[in-house]
């Protein structure tokens, strides 16, 4: 446990050092309220479930329940997919952000916040708000929305459940994106190295 704490501290210290090296001026912290974010996650789960399950059962209402539920293999793939998808979620963040960061993939790092058992992706340099928003939302689109739409067409309940879970798993990303829509698009955004939030580097119009 001590080694894990030391590793986390070292990574956070390295990111703080990186931020100092960038000599960021006019930075402004935008913090995410964890309580509100959790409530928002539940809201996203409920809304996405209603929005997708209702049309799913209307479209496939004449199909036998056993067919919709799938077999053990499909649910086995579902369980494995949840674990793999959690990692892929962060990988998608990194791939998209690397396209917008000046240093590309060299600016991207991955890790796990062991206290919350949560994997994360961090970009060690500021980027344009639109690029950051694209990277923040892409896991929701790729792992949540696309599978859910496919499930509606092929009548796969396991795939639909999988999609809804990953839409709700992106609630924090959706929350951050919504906060960024209030910012000047000419400004830059930089990941906070250790807290739930980010820095805004204000730019002139």
């Amino acid at each position: 446990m001590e080694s894990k704490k030391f590793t986390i501290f070292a990574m956070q210290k390295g990111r703080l050092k990186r931020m100092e090296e960038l000599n960021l001026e006019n930075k402004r912290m935008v913090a995410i309220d964890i309580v509100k974010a959790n409530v928002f996650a539940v809201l996203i789960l409920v809304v996405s479930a209603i929005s997708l399950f209702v049309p799913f059962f209307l479209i496939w209402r004449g199909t036998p329940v056993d067919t919709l539920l799938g077999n053990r293999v499909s649910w086995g793939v579902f369980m494995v997919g949840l674990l793999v998808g959690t990692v892929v979620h962060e990988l998608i963040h990194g791939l998209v952000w690397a396209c917008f960061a000046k240093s590309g993939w060299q600016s991207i790092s991955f890790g796990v916040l062991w206290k919350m058992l949560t994997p994360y992706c961090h970009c060690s340099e500021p980027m344009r708000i639109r690029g950051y928003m694209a990277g923040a939302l892409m896991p929701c689109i790729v792992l949540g929305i696309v599978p859910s739409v496919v499930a509606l067409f092929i009548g796969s309940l396991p795939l639909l459940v999988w999609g809804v879970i990953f839409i709700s798993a992106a609630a924090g990303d959706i929350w951050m994106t919504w906060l960024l829509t209030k910012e000047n698009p000419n400004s830059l955004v930089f990941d906070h190295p250790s807290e739930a939030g980010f820095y805004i580097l204000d730019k002139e119009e």
Side-chain angles (χ1 to χ4, degrees), residues 85-101 104-105 108-110 119-123 127 131-143 166 169-174 176-177 191:
T86 301
V87 176
V88 174
H89 178 111
E90 302 304 327
L91 181 60
I92 293 173
H93 279 319
L95 289 172
V96 178
W97 283 337
C99 294
F100 292 95
W105 192 250
I108 306 301
S109 62
F110 301 92
Y120 69 84
C121 174
H122 174 71
C123 183
M127 69 180 73
Y132 190 91
M133 291 170 66
L137 289 178
M138 197 59 66
C140 178
I141 296 171
V142 174
L143 299 176
F166 277 99
D173 301 325
I174 297 171
M176 285 197 302
T177 301
D191 268 342

Side-chain angles (χ1 to χ4, degrees), residues 32 36-37 40-48 89 93 97 132-145 163-182 198:
I32 297 175
K36 290 182 179 179
F40 182 69
V42 174
L43 179 62
I44 289 292
L45 176 63
V46 172
V47 171
S48 60
H89 178 111
H93 279 319
W97 283 337
Y132 190 91
M133 291 170 66
L137 289 178
M138 197 59 66
C140 178
I141 296 171
V142 174
L143 299 176
I145 296 175
V164 169
I165 288 175
F166 277 99
I167 289 175
S168 62
D173 301 325
I174 297 171
W175 180 270
M176 285 197 302
T177 301
W178 177 71
L179 291 176
L180 286 170
T181 60
K182 302 178 180 181
F198 47 83

Side-chain angles (χ1 to χ4, degrees), residues 60-80:
W60 299 96
R61 61 182 180 274
T63 305
V65 176
D66 291 344
T67 301
L68 293 178
L69 288 176
N71 52 36
R72 292 182 179 179
V73 174
S74 60
W75 285 103
V77 173
F78 166 84
M79 294 303 296
V80 173

Side-chain angles (χ1 to χ4, degrees), residues 26-69:
N26 301 321
K27 62 180 182 291
R28 174 168 47 84
M29 175 65 180
V30 178
I32 297 175
D33 188 311
I34 299 299
V35 175
K36 290 182 179 179
N38 289 334
V39 173
F40 182 69
V42 174
L43 179 62
I44 289 292
L45 176 63
V46 172
V47 171
S48 60
I50 293 175
S51 300
L52 291 166
F53 280 108
V54 170
F56 178 85
F57 286 110
L58 288 176
I59 294 171
W60 299 96
R61 61 182 180 274
T63 305
V65 176
D66 291 344
T67 301
L68 293 178
L69 288 176

